[in-house]
Amino acid sequence: MSTTPPAPATPIEDAARDLEAVLHEVKRVVVGQDAMLERVLVALLAGGHVLLEGVPGLAKTLTVKTLATVLGGSFRRVQFTPDLVPADLVGTRIWRPDTGTFDIQLGPVFGNLLLADEINRAPAKVQSALLEVMQERQVTLGGQTHPLPSPFLVLATQNPIESEGTYPLPEAQVDRFLLKVLVDYPTLEDEATVVSQAVAAPAAVRQVLTPERLLQHRETVRAAHADGQAVRFAVRLADATRHPDRYGLGHLRDAIEVGASPRGPIGLIQTAQALAVLRGRDYVTPRDVRSLALDVLRHRLVLSYEAHADGITADDVLAQVLDAVDPTSGDGQGRRLEALGDDHAVDVAA
């Protein structure tokens, strides 16, 4: 009796299966940071860089190293310090007296995954050297251009509780990070597992994907359909940070000095495509956009001095923006919004 052979898996099914295997393998080592792991994988699929912010000891470095092993790519780590110079990062030219020529010594940025540890401890010259690396994926030395390997991803970390000996990142550089992920403490149960793992033999992770396979999945991500509703929702979220009055958020006008750049809605759709594929879909929904809005937009807002003085964060502002912007229409959604203070609540007409 003949049986019908199973239908071949679709690109979406292939990608979802591979990515589930990657997450499963990484979670054998990194416990209690599921949201961070998902966001890093989304960035890998979308081809963007990630800024991880959290106190020391939350597995930021361990995540990057483990991911490099699971993906089979090359891993590079640079500890950013105040005395770092651009040549320590991108490389330099070395004079050879015996040949009378310069040799090119490439720097540690030439790898698939670059961990820029405590990125805000390096001065402006080093940060400017990263701009070409992050945007053009290349390094220019002595008039020669050297392309970086593909895929290439910068995962930068910074400590939010230390300001001594640090340099604020330039806005142009911060805007080049696709995501800024806030890493929080694990739950009590997850932390107990972390402690148990720390005193036991380390788990051995295996490679389950290749860089070439990841690039194939990126093509699948780019093919995921984002309809007009999802695109308009992403654009309106960014527009609400620039013109809050249009969405009944006039009370935010003095809190926002500069709204999200056009990279904001572009990044929202790119990451939403990756999240959809990660969840086994070939189409984007407004819910995907909403899920990623904080991570894509929080570092693209420049808050005013008054907002900082009042303890208002970018997440506080974005929470109100998300509450005001209706994903199904072009206007602000009619509902009661809480303003920056308890005594400033306003009603927005439908």
Side-chain angles (χ1 to χ4, degrees), residues 37-56:
L37 292 178
E38 184 182 62
R39 295 307 189 258
V40 170
L41 206 50
V42 161
L44 272 169
L45 289 169
H49 310 295
V50 183
L51 179 61
L52 302 173
E53 184 176 286
V55 299

Side-chain angles (χ1 to χ4, degrees), residues 243-252 324 332 335 337 346-349:
H243 307 102
D245 289 343
R246 297 177 182 175
Y247 302 85
L249 297 171
H251 54 279
L252 293 180
R335 64 180 65 180
L337 300 176
V346 296
D347 286 317
V348 179

Side-chain angles (χ1 to χ4, degrees), residues 92-327:
T92 187
R93 296 195 304 162
I94 300 174
W95 174 252
R96 299 295 185 189
D98 53 338
T99 61
T101 59
F102 284 97
D103 282 352
I104 299 294
Q105 173 111 24
L106 299 178
V109 296
F110 286 86
N112 295 119
L113 290 178
L114 171 66
L115 173 60
D117 219 355
E118 295 190 282
I119 190 173
N120 55 335
R121 291 198 176 276
K125 246 184 182 181
V126 177
Q127 304 299 347
S128 64
L130 266 181
L131 292 179
E132 182 185 19
V133 171
M134 295 175 66
Q135 187 66 27
E136 278 79 32
R137 262 78 166 181
Q138 65 183 30
V139 169
T140 303
L141 293 172
Q144 296 182 15
T145 299
H146 304 271
L148 293 168
S150 185
F152 172 74
L153 179 71
V154 174
L155 289 109
T157 70
Q158 64 179 14
N159 186 341
I161 60 175
E162 283 187 283
S163 58
E164 194 169 335
T166 62
Y167 302 82
L169 298 181
E171 295 302 330
Q173 182 182 2
V174 172
D175 200 39
R176 281 170 167 79
F177 284 102
L178 181 61
L179 299 173
K180 179 181 179 181
V181 180
L182 304 183
V183 187
D184 205 354
Y185 290 105
T187 64
L188 290 176
E189 294 78 9
D190 287 335
E191 191 165 359
T193 304
V194 170
V195 173
S196 299
Q197 286 187 350
V199 298
V205 295
R206 60 187 178 89
Q207 179 182 343
V208 299
L209 204 61
T210 63
E212 295 75 21
R213 187 76 169 161
L214 177 62
L215 291 176
Q216 291 178 10
H217 294 330
R218 280 188 180 178
E219 295 303 317
T220 302
V221 166
R222 291 190 183 97
H225 178 64
D227 64 12
Q229 185 182 82
V231 172
R232 286 192 295 272
F233 182 41
V235 171
R236 289 198 304 273
L237 288 175
D239 186 62
T241 68
R242 306 168 198 150
H243 307 102
D245 289 343
R246 297 177 182 175
Y247 302 85
L249 297 171
H251 54 279
L252 293 180
R253 187 174 54 249
D254 294 332
I256 305 173
E257 190 169 307
V258 180
S261 76
R263 283 197 183 101
I266 292 172
L268 274 173
I269 295 302
Q270 289 175 333
T271 54
Q273 287 175 306
L275 187 63
V277 171
L278 192 60
R279 294 177 176 175
R281 286 184 278 107
D282 61 355
Y283 60 91
V284 173
T285 68
R287 178 174 293 183
D288 297 324
V289 175
R290 185 183 182 91
S291 297
L292 294 157
L294 292 179
D295 300 296
V296 175
L297 297 178
R298 62 164 57 99
H299 55 297
R300 305 183 195 277
L301 302 186
V302 179
L303 301 185
S304 65
Y305 173 80
E306 291 79 7
H308 287 294
D310 291 339
I312 298 167
T313 66
D315 283 15
D316 296 330
V317 171
L318 289 171
Q320 296 189 59
V321 168
L322 285 167
D323 195 38
V325 178
D326 183 1

Side-chain angles (χ1 to χ4, degrees), residues 50-70:
V50 183
L51 179 61
L52 302 173
E53 184 176 286
V55 299
L58 295 182
K60 300 185 294 293
T61 302
L62 179 63
T63 297
V64 182
K65 291 177 65 176
T66 305
L67 198 57
T69 301
V70 174

